[in-house]
Amino acid sequence: MVGSSHEALHRIFQKDPALLTRALQRVLDVPFPEPREIAALNVDLTEIEPVERRVDTLLRAETDQGTYLLVVESQGKADDRKRGSWPYYLSYLYEKYRCEPVLIVITQSSATAKWAARPIRFGFRGWDSLTVRPLVLGPDNVPVIADEQQAERDVPLAVLSAMTHGRGPRAAAILESLASALRTIDPDSAAVFVQFVDSCLADPQAKQMWRDLMTAIQYFWRHPLAEQVREEGREQGLEEGLEQGRAEAKAEMVLQILQWRGIPVPDAVRERVNACTDLDQLETWARRAVHAADATELFTEE
């Protein structure tokens, strides 16, 4: 289970390695050759000496122009120690595999992205013995995908968009579009992507909305994160059985989606939703709540 945004930001490329080359080509406009094959490698760069050095994700890309090692580093904040470790990683990997290494840094912070993009230069002025130029993916260049059709065309890229832009005024549209797109892929892959996004959402309201959306499409209840939510539910008094607890949780989720989107909830609507014990009906209302302009639109087709 992914427990942090640091892990999720680089492990998404282990889940879908081809996403990395698409990001290089489409986001950074880097003419990286189209891979014939991509394979994950051992990330441990520890030498015989007792000094452990470990990259976050390491992929080997076979292309018509040669073999490349894609070194992915998830970076939460500026860290001047990377000035020494990143060049070391690249030199060590070239020596070990005799393949060209490419350093990609991914971050949720614009300030960190600007820091990471600065070239690392060794040598004296006017004559660099070594220059390292990281390719950086972050909120300033990863596209905002807030359209359902666009999200469905490239679900992994939509996941990356949610992971890097999951806060601010556009968070709701981004998460809603991704939730819809997850219905179009296999449930196992969707469950993994659900976890990646959940780990990266730092905004409590955005995280709650994401969990509400996932509950509505039932991926969440098959996911390990659901146990945490069920525990929270039990602590709040949902002790009368799983079915009743799920109904109450879904009813609360319908109301929370409306409230999170800033839509007033009249007492009559609240009472009707809370009184419902039909899980299918509650799921239908939850889906409508994502797009409704008025709380009463939950019941328009009834």
Side-chain angles (χ1 to χ4, degrees):
M1 178 176 175
V2 175
S4 69
S5 60
H6 174 91
E7 289 184 71
L9 281 170
H10 69 85
R11 281 181 56 184
I12 186 177
F13 299 115
Q14 297 176 15
K15 172 62 181 173
D16 187 341
L19 170 64
L20 186 56
T21 57
R22 293 202 302 278
L24 294 179
Q25 295 164 350
R26 301 178 191 176
V27 178
L28 299 180
D29 199 26
V30 174
F32 191 86
E34 195 67 33
R36 296 191 306 272
E37 178 184 354
I38 299 182
L41 302 178
N42 190 333
V43 299
D44 193 347
L45 308 185
T46 306
E47 300 182 84
I48 296 177
E49 298 293 330
V51 177
E52 181 176 321
R53 298 185 185 273
R54 189 180 299 270
V55 299
D56 288 333
T57 285
L58 180 61
L59 305 170
R60 182 181 63 229
E62 304 284 352
T63 78
D64 291 335
Q65 299 179 27
T67 301
Y68 296 89
L69 298 176
L70 304 179
V71 184
V72 185
E73 285 282 281
S74 174
Q75 196 68 27
K77 60 183 180 181
D79 183 354
D80 287 337
R81 292 176 299 176
K82 298 299 183 180
R83 177 178 169 83
S85 58
W86 284 345
Y88 172 85
Y89 294 163
L90 301 181
S91 299
Y92 176 85
L93 288 169
Y94 179 79
E95 178 65 22
K96 181 175 181 178
Y97 293 101
R98 291 295 168 177
C99 299
E100 298 292 341
V102 180
L103 175 62
I104 301 102
V105 179
I106 180 166
T107 180
Q108 295 176 289
S109 164
S110 295
T112 303
K114 293 177 181 177
W115 165 82
R118 295 201 300 262
I120 300 171
R121 305 182 190 277
F122 290 159
F124 59 87
R125 183 175 299 178
W127 190 273
D128 299 330
S129 298
L130 174 66
T131 302
V132 175
R133 298 175 58 196
L135 296 168
V136 182
L137 295 168
D140 294 331
N141 54 20
V142 172
V144 173
I145 298 181
D147 175 78
E148 290 183 12
Q149 293 183 343
Q150 187 180 3
E152 290 175 6
R153 284 195 295 270
D154 195 335
V155 175
L157 187 60
V159 173
L160 185 62
S161 175
M163 291 162 63
T164 52
H165 298 286
R167 64 176 64 190
R170 304 203 65 182
I174 294 170
L175 297 178
E176 290 166 6
S177 299
L178 177 57
S180 177
L182 287 175
R183 302 173 190 268
T184 66
I185 64 175
D186 69 277
D188 290 339
S189 294
V192 174
F193 289 144
V194 166
Q195 186 180 358
F196 286 160
V197 174
D198 191 272
S199 297
C200 286
L201 292 175
D203 185 324
Q205 286 188 316
K207 185 184 285 285
Q208 185 59 54
M209 182 185 184
W210 178 244
R211 292 186 172 187
D212 291 343
L213 289 168
M214 293 304 96
T215 303
I217 61 177
Q218 294 187 337
Y219 284 131
F220 190 71
W221 289 103
R222 295 196 298 270
H223 191 274
L225 286 170
E227 183 58 33
Q228 176 183 342
V229 175
R230 285 196 286 270
E231 281 296 327
E232 293 170 357
R234 283 192 285 269
E235 292 173 2
Q236 294 168 7
L238 305 182
E239 300 285 356
E240 298 179 17
L242 181 59
E243 287 302 312
Q244 180 180 349
R246 289 180 64 181
E248 293 180 14
K250 280 197 173 185
E252 182 64 22
M253 174 265 298
V254 173
L255 300 174
Q256 284 181 348
I257 291 176
L258 293 173
Q259 292 169 352
W260 196 89
R261 296 181 60 223
I263 296 175
V265 181
D267 290 341
V269 172
R270 185 181 303 276
E271 291 172 2
R272 181 171 177 180
V273 172
N274 284 331
C276 182
T277 58
D278 185 329
L279 293 177
D280 291 336
Q281 181 64 75
L282 288 166
E283 182 175 347
T284 298
W285 289 346
R287 292 175 181 172
R288 293 177 187 167
V290 171
H291 302 288
D294 184 275
T296 58
E297 291 183 11
L298 296 180
F299 320 122
T300 51
E301 297 182 14
E302 302 168 23

